[in-house]
Coordinates of all heavy atoms in Angstrom, one line a residue:
M1 N 0.8 -1.2 0.0 CA 0.0 0.0 0.0 C 0.9 1.2 0.0 O 1.9 1.3 0.7 CB -0.9 0.0 1.2 CG -1.7 1.2 1.4 SD -3.0 1.1 2.7 CE -2.1 0.6 4.1
V2 N 0.5 2.2 -0.8 CA 1.3 3.5 -0.9 C 0.4 4.6 -0.4 O -0.7 4.8 -0.9 CB 1.7 3.8 -2.4 CG1 2.5 5.0 -2.5 CG2 2.5 2.6 -2.9
E3 N 0.9 5.4 0.6 CA 0.2 6.5 1.2 C 1.0 7.7 1.3 O 2.2 7.6 1.5 CB -0.2 6.1 2.6 CG -1.2 5.0 2.7 CD -1.5 4.7 4.2 OE1 -0.6 4.7 5.0 OE2 -2.7 4.5 4.4
Q4 N 0.4 8.8 1.1 CA 1.0 10.1 1.3 C 0.9 10.5 2.8 O -0.2 10.6 3.3 CB 0.3 11.2 0.4 CG 0.9 12.6 0.7 CD 2.3 12.8 0.1 OE1 2.5 12.5 -1.1 NE2 3.2 13.4 0.9
N5 N 2.0 10.7 3.4 CA 2.1 11.2 4.8 C 2.5 12.6 4.7 O 3.0 13.1 3.7 CB 3.1 10.3 5.5 CG 3.2 10.7 7.0 OD1 3.7 11.7 7.3 ND2 2.8 9.7 7.8
E6 N 2.3 13.4 5.8 CA 2.7 14.8 5.7 C 4.2 15.0 5.5 O 4.7 16.0 5.0 CB 2.3 15.6 6.9 CG 2.9 15.1 8.2 CD 2.4 15.9 9.4 OE1 1.4 15.4 10.0 OE2 3.0 16.9 9.8
H7 N 5.0 14.0 5.8 CA 6.5 14.1 5.7 C 7.1 13.3 4.6 O 8.2 13.5 4.2 CB 7.1 13.6 7.0 CG 6.7 14.4 8.2 ND1 7.1 15.7 8.4 CD2 5.9 14.1 9.3 CE1 6.5 16.1 9.6 NE2 5.8 15.2 10.1
A8 N 6.3 12.3 4.1 CA 6.9 11.4 3.1 C 5.8 10.5 2.4 O 4.7 10.5 2.9 CB 7.9 10.4 3.8
I9 N 6.3 9.8 1.4 CA 5.4 8.8 0.8 C 5.8 7.5 1.5 O 7.0 7.2 1.6 CB 5.7 8.6 -0.7 CG1 5.5 9.9 -1.5 CG2 4.9 7.5 -1.3 CD1 4.1 10.4 -1.5
V10 N 4.8 6.8 2.0 CA 5.1 5.6 2.8 C 4.5 4.3 2.0 O 3.4 4.3 1.6 CB 4.4 5.6 4.2 CG1 4.7 4.3 4.9 CG2 4.9 6.8 5.0
V11 N 5.4 3.4 1.8 CA 5.1 2.1 1.2 C 5.0 1.1 2.4 O 6.0 0.8 2.9 CB 6.1 1.6 0.1 CG1 5.7 0.3 -0.4 CG2 6.2 2.7 -0.9
S12 N 3.8 0.6 2.7 CA 3.7 -0.4 3.8 C 3.5 -1.7 3.2 O 2.7 -1.9 2.3 CB 2.5 0.0 4.6 OG 2.6 1.2 5.2
V13 N 4.3 -2.7 3.7 CA 4.3 -4.0 3.2 C 4.0 -5.0 4.3 O 4.4 -4.8 5.4 CB 5.6 -4.4 2.5 CG1 5.6 -5.7 1.8 CG2 6.1 -3.3 1.6
S14 N 3.2 -6.1 4.0 CA 3.0 -7.1 5.0 C 3.1 -8.5 4.3 O 2.9 -8.6 3.1 CB 1.7 -6.9 5.7 OG 0.6 -7.0 4.8
G15 N 3.3 -9.5 5.2 CA 3.3 -10.9 4.7 C 4.7 -11.2 4.1 O 5.7 -10.6 4.5
A16 N 4.8 -12.2 3.3 CA 6.0 -12.7 2.7 C 6.4 -11.9 1.5 O 5.5 -11.6 0.7 CB 6.0 -14.2 2.4
I17 N 7.7 -11.5 1.4 CA 8.1 -10.9 0.1 C 9.1 -11.9 -0.5 O 10.2 -12.1 0.0 CB 8.9 -9.6 0.4 CG1 8.0 -8.6 1.1 CG2 9.3 -9.0 -1.0 CD1 8.6 -7.3 1.4
D18 N 8.6 -12.6 -1.6 CA 9.4 -13.6 -2.2 C 9.1 -13.5 -3.7 O 8.7 -12.4 -4.2 CB 9.0 -15.0 -1.7 CG 7.5 -15.3 -1.8 OD1 6.8 -14.6 -2.6 OD2 7.1 -16.2 -1.0
L19 N 9.4 -14.5 -4.5 CA 9.3 -14.5 -5.9 C 7.9 -14.2 -6.4 O 7.6 -13.5 -7.3 CB 9.8 -15.8 -6.5 CG 10.0 -15.8 -8.0 CD1 11.0 -14.7 -8.5 CD2 10.6 -17.1 -8.5
T20 N 6.9 -14.7 -5.6 CA 5.5 -14.5 -6.0 C 5.0 -13.2 -5.7 O 4.0 -12.7 -6.3 CB 4.6 -15.6 -5.4 OG1 4.7 -15.5 -3.9 CG2 5.0 -17.0 -5.8
T21 N 5.6 -12.4 -4.8 CA 5.1 -11.1 -4.4 C 6.0 -10.0 -4.8 O 5.7 -8.8 -4.6 CB 4.8 -11.0 -2.9 OG1 6.0 -11.3 -2.2 CG2 3.7 -12.0 -2.4
Q22 N 7.1 -10.3 -5.4 CA 8.1 -9.3 -5.7 C 7.6 -8.3 -6.7 O 7.8 -7.1 -6.5 CB 9.4 -10.0 -6.4 CG 10.4 -9.0 -6.9 CD 11.4 -9.6 -7.7 OE1 11.3 -10.7 -8.3 NE2 12.6 -8.9 -7.9
A23 N 6.9 -8.7 -7.7 CA 6.4 -7.7 -8.7 C 5.5 -6.7 -8.1 O 5.6 -5.5 -8.4 CB 5.7 -8.5 -9.9
A24 N 4.5 -7.1 -7.3 CA 3.6 -6.1 -6.6 C 4.4 -5.2 -5.7 O 4.1 -4.0 -5.7 CB 2.6 -6.9 -5.9
F25 N 5.4 -5.7 -5.0 CA 6.2 -4.9 -4.1 C 7.0 -3.9 -4.9 O 7.0 -2.7 -4.6 CB 7.1 -5.8 -3.3 CG 8.1 -5.1 -2.4 CD1 7.7 -4.0 -1.6 CD2 9.4 -5.6 -2.2 CE1 8.6 -3.4 -0.7 CE2 10.3 -5.0 -1.4 CZ 9.9 -3.9 -0.6
A26 N 7.6 -4.3 -6.0 CA 8.4 -3.5 -6.8 C 7.5 -2.4 -7.4 O 7.9 -1.2 -7.5 CB 9.1 -4.2 -7.9
E27 N 6.3 -2.7 -7.8 CA 5.4 -1.8 -8.4 C 5.0 -0.7 -7.4 O 5.0 0.5 -7.8 CB 4.1 -2.5 -8.9 CG 3.2 -1.6 -9.7 CD 2.0 -2.5 -10.2 OE1 2.3 -3.5 -10.9 OE2 0.9 -2.1 -9.9
N28 N 4.7 -1.1 -6.2 CA 4.4 -0.1 -5.2 C 5.6 0.9 -4.9 O 5.4 2.1 -4.7 CB 4.0 -0.8 -3.9 CG 2.6 -1.3 -3.9 OD1 1.8 -0.9 -4.7 ND2 2.3 -2.3 -3.2
V29 N 6.8 0.3 -4.8 CA 8.0 1.1 -4.6 C 8.2 2.1 -5.7 O 8.5 3.3 -5.5 CB 9.2 0.2 -4.3 CG1 10.5 1.1 -4.3 CG2 9.1 -0.6 -3.0
Q30 N 8.1 1.6 -7.0 CA 8.2 2.5 -8.1 C 7.2 3.6 -8.1 O 7.5 4.8 -8.5 CB 8.1 1.7 -9.4 CG 9.3 0.8 -9.7 CD 9.2 -0.1 -10.8 OE1 8.1 -0.2 -11.5 NE2 10.2 -0.9 -11.1
E31 N 5.9 3.3 -7.8 CA 4.9 4.3 -7.7 C 5.3 5.4 -6.7 O 5.1 6.6 -6.9 CB 3.6 3.7 -7.3 CG 2.4 4.7 -7.1 CD 1.2 4.1 -6.5 OE1 0.9 2.9 -6.7 OE2 0.4 4.9 -5.9
A32 N 5.8 5.0 -5.5 CA 6.2 5.9 -4.5 C 7.3 6.8 -5.0 O 7.3 8.0 -4.8 CB 6.6 5.2 -3.3
M33 N 8.3 6.2 -5.7 CA 9.4 7.0 -6.2 C 9.0 8.0 -7.3 O 9.6 9.1 -7.4 CB 10.4 6.1 -6.8 CG 11.2 5.3 -5.8 SD 12.3 6.3 -4.8 CE 12.9 5.0 -3.8
Q34 N 7.9 7.8 -8.0 CA 7.4 8.7 -9.0 C 6.6 9.8 -8.5 O 6.4 10.8 -9.2 CB 6.6 7.9 -10.1 CG 7.5 6.9 -10.9 CD 6.7 6.0 -11.8 OE1 5.5 6.0 -11.7 NE2 7.4 5.2 -12.5
R35 N 6.2 9.7 -7.3 CA 5.4 10.8 -6.7 C 6.2 12.0 -6.3 O 7.4 11.9 -6.1 CB 4.6 10.3 -5.4 CG 3.5 9.3 -5.8 CD 2.6 9.2 -4.6 NE 1.6 8.2 -4.9 CZ 0.7 7.9 -4.0 NH1 0.6 8.5 -2.8 NH2 -0.2 6.9 -4.3
E36 N 5.6 13.2 -6.2 CA 6.3 14.4 -5.9 C 6.5 14.5 -4.4 O 5.7 15.2 -3.7 CB 5.5 15.6 -6.4 CG 5.4 15.7 -7.9 CD 6.7 15.9 -8.6 OE1 7.5 16.7 -8.1 OE2 7.0 15.3 -9.7
A37 N 7.5 13.9 -4.0 CA 7.9 14.0 -2.5 C 9.4 13.8 -2.4 O 10.0 13.1 -3.2 CB 7.2 13.0 -1.7
S38 N 10.0 14.5 -1.5 CA 11.5 14.4 -1.4 C 11.9 13.2 -0.5 O 13.0 12.8 -0.6 CB 12.0 15.6 -0.7 OG 11.5 15.8 0.6
S39 N 10.9 12.5 0.2 CA 11.3 11.4 1.0 C 10.3 10.2 0.7 O 9.1 10.4 0.6 CB 11.2 11.7 2.5 OG 12.2 12.7 2.8
V40 N 10.9 9.0 0.7 CA 10.1 7.8 0.6 C 10.5 6.9 1.7 O 11.7 6.7 2.0 CB 10.4 7.1 -0.8 CG1 9.7 5.7 -0.8 CG2 9.9 8.0 -1.9
V41 N 9.5 6.3 2.4 CA 9.8 5.3 3.5 C 9.2 4.0 3.0 O 8.0 3.9 2.6 CB 9.1 5.8 4.8 CG1 9.3 4.7 5.9 CG2 9.7 7.1 5.2
I42 N 10.0 2.9 3.2 CA 9.5 1.6 3.0 C 9.3 0.9 4.3 O 10.3 0.7 5.0 CB 10.4 0.7 2.1 CG1 10.5 1.4 0.7 CG2 9.8 -0.7 1.9 CD1 11.6 0.8 -0.2
D43 N 8.1 0.7 4.7 CA 7.8 0.2 6.1 C 7.6 -1.4 6.0 O 6.6 -1.8 5.4 CB 6.5 0.8 6.6 CG 6.2 0.4 8.0 OD1 7.0 -0.3 8.7 OD2 5.1 0.7 8.5
L44 N 8.6 -2.1 6.5 CA 8.6 -3.5 6.5 C 8.1 -4.2 7.8 O 8.3 -5.4 8.0 CB 10.0 -4.0 6.1 CG 10.6 -3.5 4.8 CD1 12.0 -4.0 4.6 CD2 9.7 -3.9 3.6
A45 N 7.5 -3.4 8.7 CA 7.1 -3.9 10.0 C 6.2 -5.1 9.9 O 6.2 -6.0 10.7 CB 6.4 -2.8 10.8
G46 N 5.3 -5.2 8.9 CA 4.4 -6.4 8.8 C 5.0 -7.5 8.0 O 4.2 -8.5 7.7
V47 N 6.2 -7.5 7.6 CA 6.8 -8.5 6.7 C 7.2 -9.7 7.6 O 7.8 -9.6 8.6 CB 8.0 -8.0 6.0 CG1 8.7 -9.1 5.3 CG2 7.6 -6.9 5.0
T48 N 6.7 -10.9 7.2 CA 7.0 -12.1 7.9 C 8.1 -13.0 7.3 O 8.7 -13.8 8.0 CB 5.7 -13.0 8.0 OG1 5.3 -13.3 6.6 CG2 4.6 -12.3 8.8
F49 N 8.5 -12.7 6.1 CA 9.6 -13.4 5.4 C 10.1 -12.5 4.3 O 9.3 -11.9 3.5 CB 9.0 -14.7 4.8 CG 10.1 -15.5 4.0 CD1 11.1 -16.1 4.7 CD2 10.0 -15.6 2.7 CE1 12.0 -16.9 4.0 CE2 10.9 -16.3 1.9 CZ 12.0 -16.9 2.6
L50 N 11.4 -12.3 4.2 CA 12.1 -11.5 3.2 C 13.1 -12.3 2.5 O 14.2 -12.6 3.0 CB 12.7 -10.3 3.9 CG 13.4 -9.3 2.9 CD1 12.4 -8.7 1.9 CD2 14.0 -8.2 3.7
A51 N 12.8 -12.7 1.2 CA 13.7 -13.5 0.4 C 14.5 -12.6 -0.5 O 14.2 -11.4 -0.6 CB 12.9 -14.5 -0.4
S52 N 15.4 -13.2 -1.3 CA 16.3 -12.4 -2.1 C 15.6 -11.5 -3.1 O 16.0 -10.4 -3.4 CB 17.3 -13.3 -2.8 OG 16.7 -14.3 -3.5
P53 N 14.4 -12.0 -3.7 CA 13.7 -11.0 -4.6 C 13.3 -9.7 -4.0 O 13.4 -8.7 -4.5 CB 12.5 -11.8 -5.1 CG 13.0 -13.3 -5.0 CD 13.8 -13.3 -3.7
G54 N 12.9 -9.8 -2.7 CA 12.5 -8.6 -1.9 C 13.7 -7.8 -1.7 O 13.7 -6.5 -1.7
L55 N 14.9 -8.4 -1.3 CA 16.1 -7.7 -1.1 C 16.5 -6.9 -2.4 O 17.0 -5.8 -2.3 CB 17.2 -8.6 -0.6 CG 17.0 -9.2 0.7 CD1 18.0 -10.3 1.0 CD2 17.1 -8.2 1.8
A56 N 16.3 -7.6 -3.5 CA 16.7 -6.9 -4.8 C 15.8 -5.7 -5.0 O 16.4 -4.6 -5.5 CB 16.5 -7.9 -6.0
V57 N 14.6 -5.7 -4.6 CA 13.7 -4.5 -4.8 C 14.3 -3.4 -3.9 O 14.3 -2.2 -4.3 CB 12.3 -4.9 -4.4 CG1 11.4 -3.6 -4.4 CG2 11.7 -5.8 -5.4
L58 N 14.7 -3.7 -2.7 CA 15.3 -2.7 -1.8 C 16.5 -2.1 -2.3 O 16.7 -0.9 -2.3 CB 15.5 -3.3 -0.4 CG 14.3 -3.8 0.4 CD1 14.7 -4.5 1.7 CD2 13.3 -2.7 0.6
V59 N 17.4 -2.9 -2.9 CA 18.6 -2.3 -3.5 C 18.3 -1.4 -4.7 O 18.8 -0.3 -4.8 CB 19.6 -3.5 -3.9 CG1 20.7 -3.0 -4.8 CG2 20.1 -4.2 -2.7
E60 N 17.4 -1.9 -5.5 CA 16.9 -1.1 -6.7 C 16.3 0.3 -6.2 O 16.5 1.3 -6.8 CB 15.9 -1.8 -7.5 CG 15.5 -1.1 -8.8 CD 14.6 -1.9 -9.7 OE1 14.3 -3.1 -9.4 OE2 14.1 -1.3 -10.6
A61 N 15.5 0.2 -5.1 CA 14.9 1.4 -4.6 C 16.0 2.4 -4.1 O 15.9 3.6 -4.3 CB 14.0 1.0 -3.4
Q62 N 17.0 1.9 -3.5 CA 18.1 2.7 -3.0 C 18.8 3.4 -4.2 O 19.1 4.6 -4.2 CB 19.2 1.9 -2.2 CG 20.5 2.6 -1.9 CD 20.3 3.8 -1.0 OE1 19.2 4.1 -0.5 NE2 21.3 4.5 -0.7
E63 N 19.1 2.6 -5.3 CA 19.7 3.2 -6.5 C 18.8 4.2 -7.1 O 19.3 5.3 -7.5 CB 20.0 2.1 -7.5 CG 21.1 1.1 -7.0 CD 21.2 -0.1 -7.9 OE1 20.4 -0.3 -8.8 OE2 22.1 -0.9 -7.6
N64 N 17.5 4.0 -7.2 CA 16.6 4.9 -7.8 C 16.4 6.2 -7.0 O 16.3 7.3 -7.5 CB 15.2 4.3 -8.0 CG 15.2 3.2 -9.1 OD1 16.0 3.2 -10.0 ND2 14.2 2.3 -9.0
A65 N 16.4 6.0 -5.7 CA 16.4 7.2 -4.8 C 17.6 8.1 -5.0 O 17.5 9.3 -5.0 CB 16.2 6.8 -3.3
M66 N 18.7 7.5 -5.1 CA 20.0 8.3 -5.3 C 19.9 9.0 -6.6 O 20.2 10.2 -6.7 CB 21.2 7.4 -5.2 CG 21.5 6.9 -3.8 SD 23.0 5.9 -3.5 CE 23.5 5.3 -5.0
R67 N 19.5 8.4 -7.7 CA 19.3 9.0 -9.0 C 18.3 10.2 -9.0 O 18.5 11.2 -9.6 CB 18.9 8.0 -10.0 CG 20.1 7.3 -10.7 CD 19.7 6.5 -11.9 NE 20.2 5.1 -11.7 CZ 19.4 4.1 -11.4 NH1 18.1 4.1 -11.4 NH2 20.0 2.9 -11.2
A68 N 17.2 10.0 -8.3 CA 16.2 11.0 -8.2 C 16.4 12.0 -7.1 O 15.6 12.9 -6.9 CB 14.8 10.3 -8.0
Q69 N 17.5 11.9 -6.4 CA 17.8 12.7 -5.2 C 16.7 12.8 -4.2 O 16.3 13.9 -3.8 CB 18.2 14.1 -5.8 CG 19.4 14.1 -6.6 CD 19.8 15.5 -7.1 OE1 19.0 16.4 -7.1 NE2 21.1 15.6 -7.5
K70 N 16.2 11.6 -3.9 CA 15.2 11.5 -2.8 C 15.8 10.8 -1.6 O 16.7 10.1 -1.7 CB 14.0 10.6 -3.3 CG 13.2 11.3 -4.4 CD 12.0 10.4 -4.8 CE 11.2 11.0 -5.9 NZ 10.1 11.8 -5.5
N71 N 15.2 11.2 -0.5 CA 15.6 10.5 0.8 C 14.8 9.2 0.9 O 13.6 9.2 0.7 CB 15.3 11.4 2.0 CG 16.1 12.6 2.0 OD1 17.3 12.6 1.7 ND2 15.5 13.7 2.3
L72 N 15.5 8.1 1.1 CA 14.9 6.8 1.3 C 15.2 6.3 2.7 O 16.4 6.4 3.1 CB 15.4 5.8 0.2 CG 14.9 4.4 0.4 CD1 13.4 4.3 0.1 CD2 15.6 3.5 -0.5
H73 N 14.2 5.8 3.4 CA 14.4 5.2 4.7 C 13.7 3.8 4.6 O 12.5 3.8 4.2 CB 13.9 6.0 5.8 CG 14.6 7.4 5.9 ND1 15.8 7.5 6.3 CD2 14.1 8.6 5.6 CE1 16.2 8.8 6.3 NE2 15.1 9.5 5.8
I74 N 14.3 2.8 5.1 CA 13.7 1.5 5.1 C 13.5 1.2 6.6 O 14.5 1.0 7.4 CB 14.6 0.4 4.4 CG1 14.8 0.8 3.0 CG2 14.0 -0.9 4.6 CD1 15.8 0.0 2.2
A75 N 12.2 1.2 7.0 CA 11.9 0.9 8.4 C 11.8 -0.6 8.6 O 10.9 -1.3 8.1 CB 10.5 1.5 8.7
V76 N 12.8 -1.2 9.2 CA 13.0 -2.6 9.4 C 11.8 -3.3 10.1 O 11.1 -4.2 9.7 CB 14.3 -3.0 10.0 CG1 14.4 -4.5 10.2 CG2 15.4 -2.4 9.2
G77 N 11.5 -2.8 11.3 CA 10.4 -3.2 12.1 C 10.4 -4.5 12.7 O 9.6 -4.7 13.7
S78 N 11.1 -5.5 12.2 CA 11.1 -6.8 12.9 C 12.4 -7.5 12.8 O 13.3 -7.2 11.9 CB 10.0 -7.7 12.2 OG 10.5 -8.1 10.9
T79 N 12.7 -8.4 13.7 CA 13.9 -9.2 13.7 C 14.1 -10.0 12.4 O 15.2 -10.3 12.0 CB 14.1 -10.0 14.9 OG1 13.0 -10.9 15.1 CG2 14.2 -9.1 16.2
V80 N 12.9 -10.5 11.9 CA 13.0 -11.4 10.7 C 13.6 -10.6 9.5 O 14.5 -11.1 8.8 CB 11.6 -11.9 10.3 CG1 11.5 -12.5 9.0 CG2 11.0 -12.8 11.4
V81 N 13.1 -9.4 9.3 CA 13.6 -8.5 8.2 C 15.0 -8.1 8.5 O 15.9 -8.2 7.6 CB 12.7 -7.3 8.1 CG1 13.3 -6.3 7.1 CG2 11.3 -7.7 7.6
K82 N 15.3 -7.7 9.7 CA 16.6 -7.2 10.1 C 17.7 -8.3 9.8 O 18.7 -8.1 9.3 CB 16.7 -6.8 11.5 CG 18.0 -6.2 11.9 CD 17.9 -5.6 13.3 CE 19.3 -5.0 13.7 NZ 19.3 -4.5 15.0
R83 N 17.3 -9.5 10.2 CA 18.2 -10.7 10.0 C 18.5 -11.0 8.5 O 19.6 -11.2 8.1 CB 17.7 -11.9 10.7 CG 18.6 -13.1 10.6 CD 18.0 -14.3 11.4 NE 18.7 -15.5 10.9 CZ 19.5 -16.2 11.6 NH1 19.8 -15.8 12.8 NH2 20.1 -17.3 11.2
S84 N 17.5 -10.9 7.7 CA 17.6 -11.2 6.3 C 18.6 -10.1 5.7 O 19.4 -10.5 4.9 CB 16.3 -11.1 5.6 OG 15.5 -12.2 5.9
I85 N 18.4 -8.9 6.1 CA 19.2 -7.8 5.5 C 20.7 -8.0 6.0 O 21.6 -7.8 5.2 CB 18.6 -6.5 5.8 CG1 17.3 -6.3 5.1 CG2 19.6 -5.3 5.5 CD1 16.5 -5.1 5.5
E86 N 20.8 -8.2 7.3 CA 22.2 -8.3 7.9 C 22.9 -9.5 7.3 O 24.2 -9.4 7.1 CB 22.1 -8.3 9.4 CG 21.7 -7.0 10.0 CD 21.6 -7.0 11.5 OE1 21.6 -8.1 12.1 OE2 21.5 -5.9 12.1
L87 N 22.3 -10.7 7.1 CA 23.0 -11.9 6.6 C 23.6 -11.7 5.3 O 24.6 -12.3 4.9 CB 22.0 -13.1 6.6 CG 21.7 -13.7 7.9 CD1 20.6 -14.7 7.8 CD2 22.9 -14.3 8.6
T88 N 23.0 -10.8 4.5 CA 23.5 -10.5 3.1 C 24.5 -9.4 3.1 O 25.1 -9.2 2.0 CB 22.3 -10.1 2.2 OG1 21.7 -8.9 2.7 CG2 21.3 -11.3 2.1
G89 N 24.7 -8.7 4.2 CA 25.6 -7.6 4.2 C 25.0 -6.3 3.7 O 25.6 -5.2 3.6
L90 N 23.7 -6.3 3.3 CA 23.1 -5.1 2.7 C 22.8 -4.1 3.8 O 22.5 -2.9 3.4 CB 21.8 -5.5 2.0 CG 21.9 -6.3 0.7 CD1 20.6 -6.8 0.2 CD2 22.7 -5.5 -0.3
G91 N 22.9 -4.4 5.0 CA 22.7 -3.4 6.1 C 23.7 -2.3 6.0 O 23.5 -1.2 6.5
Q92 N 24.8 -2.6 5.4 CA 25.9 -1.6 5.3 C 25.6 -0.5 4.2 O 26.2 0.5 4.2 CB 27.2 -2.2 5.0 CG 27.6 -3.1 6.2 CD 29.0 -3.8 5.9 OE1 29.6 -3.6 4.9 NE2 29.3 -4.7 6.8
I93 N 24.7 -0.9 3.2 CA 24.5 0.0 2.1 C 23.0 0.6 2.1 O 22.8 1.6 1.5 CB 24.8 -0.6 0.7 CG1 23.9 -1.8 0.4 CG2 26.3 -0.9 0.6 CD1 23.9 -2.2 -1.0
L94 N 22.1 -0.1 2.7 CA 20.7 0.3 2.7 C 20.5 1.3 3.9 O 21.0 1.1 5.0 CB 19.8 -0.9 2.8 CG 19.7 -1.8 1.6 CD1 18.9 -3.0 1.9 CD2 19.3 -1.1 0.4
P95 N 19.7 2.3 3.7 CA 19.4 3.3 4.7 C 18.3 2.8 5.7 O 17.1 3.1 5.6 CB 18.9 4.5 3.9 CG 18.2 3.9 2.7 CD 19.1 2.7 2.4
L96 N 18.8 2.0 6.7 CA 17.8 1.3 7.6 C 17.6 2.2 8.8 O 18.4 2.9 9.3 CB 18.4 0.0 8.0 CG 18.8 -1.0 7.0 CD1 19.5 -2.2 7.6 CD2 17.6 -1.4 6.1
V97 N 16.3 2.1 9.3 CA 15.9 2.7 10.5 C 15.1 1.6 11.3 O 14.5 0.8 10.6 CB 15.1 4.0 10.4 CG1 16.0 5.1 9.8 CG2 13.9 3.8 9.5
P98 N 15.0 1.7 12.6 CA 14.2 0.7 13.3 C 12.8 0.6 13.1 O 12.2 -0.5 13.0 CB 14.5 1.0 14.8 CG 15.3 2.2 14.8 CD 15.6 2.7 13.5
D99 N 12.1 1.7 12.8 CA 10.6 1.7 12.7 C 10.1 2.9 11.9 O 10.9 3.8 11.6 CB 9.9 1.6 14.1 CG 10.4 2.7 15.0 OD1 10.5 3.8 14.6 OD2 10.6 2.4 16.2
L100 N 8.8 2.9 11.6 CA 8.2 4.0 10.8 C 8.3 5.3 11.5 O 8.6 6.3 10.9 CB 6.7 3.6 10.5 CG 6.0 4.6 9.7 CD1 6.6 4.8 8.3 CD2 4.5 4.2 9.5
D101 N 8.1 5.4 12.8 CA 8.1 6.6 13.5 C 9.5 7.3 13.4 O 9.6 8.5 13.2 CB 7.8 6.4 15.0 CG 6.3 6.2 15.2 OD1 5.5 6.5 14.4 OD2 6.0 5.6 16.3
T102 N 10.6 6.5 13.5 CA 11.9 7.0 13.4 C 12.1 7.5 12.0 O 12.7 8.5 11.8 CB 12.9 5.9 13.7 OG1 12.7 5.4 15.1 CG2 14.4 6.4 13.6
A103 N 11.7 6.7 11.0 CA 11.8 7.1 9.6 C 11.2 8.5 9.3 O 11.7 9.3 8.6 CB 11.2 6.1 8.7
L104 N 10.0 8.7 9.9 CA 9.3 9.9 9.6 C 9.9 11.1 10.4 O 9.7 12.3 10.0 CB 7.8 9.8 10.0 CG 7.0 8.8 9.1 CD1 5.6 8.6 9.7 CD2 7.0 9.2 7.7
R105 N 10.6 10.9 11.5 CA 11.3 11.9 12.2 C 12.6 12.3 11.6 O 13.2 13.4 11.8 CB 11.5 11.5 13.6 CG 10.3 11.6 14.5 CD 10.7 11.5 16.0 NE 11.6 10.4 16.3 CZ 11.2 9.2 16.7 NH1 9.9 8.9 16.9 NH2 12.0 8.2 17.0
T106 N 13.2 11.4 10.7 CA 14.5 11.6 10.2 C 14.5 12.6 9.0 O 13.6 12.6 8.2 CB 15.1 10.3 9.7 OG1 15.0 9.4 10.8 CG2 16.5 10.4 9.3

């Protein structure tokens, strides 16, 4: 789901992000990047499983945000998501924050 917040465009995701849900996730992130806002937040608090296709969407989002000169924050929200990101080493390049509230304050 993509929503306009007073501070940013927020993409909220829930459930598993894998090969079967990657396209819908990527579409929502692309929609958020195309909107007229300087900040985009991807809220992963409701995610129960994050596979490599979902990680690829996050990396692409980071690249697109840098090209478009937008601020991107990825609200990890759960240990499941945090672990998936950290195991791949992507935590060093992705703009992670612990939760949505922190992302909106940043």
Side-chain angles (χ1 to χ4, degrees):
M1 174 170 53
V2 180
E3 296 179 317
Q4 174 72 49
N5 183 291
E6 66 182 87
H7 302 289
I9 303 294
V10 178
V11 179
S12 298
V13 188
S14 61
I17 303 176
D18 55 21
L19 192 57
T20 60
T21 58
Q22 175 192 19
F25 178 41
E27 188 176 302
N28 285 335
V29 171
Q30 288 172 358
E31 177 188 334
M33 289 292 178
Q34 292 172 353
R35 291 198 185 178
E36 293 294 322
S38 62
S39 294
V40 174
V41 176
I42 300 174
D43 182 13
L44 303 175
V47 172
T48 56
F49 178 72
L50 181 61
S52 58
L55 294 169
V57 171
L58 296 177
V59 170
E60 183 178 353
Q62 171 66 4
E63 292 169 354
N64 290 338
M66 289 185 340
R67 273 190 232 111
Q69 298 181 340
K70 291 183 182 270
N71 295 318
L72 175 68
H73 299 288
I74 299 170
V76 178
S78 74
T79 55
V80 170
V81 171
K82 185 176 182 181
R83 182 178 163 108
S84 293
I85 292 171
E86 287 178 351
L87 285 174
T88 60
L90 291 175
Q92 297 178 8
I93 63 166
L94 294 174
L96 304 177
V97 294
D99 54 42
L100 180 59
D101 289 339
T102 303
L104 294 175
R105 285 194 310 264
T106 308

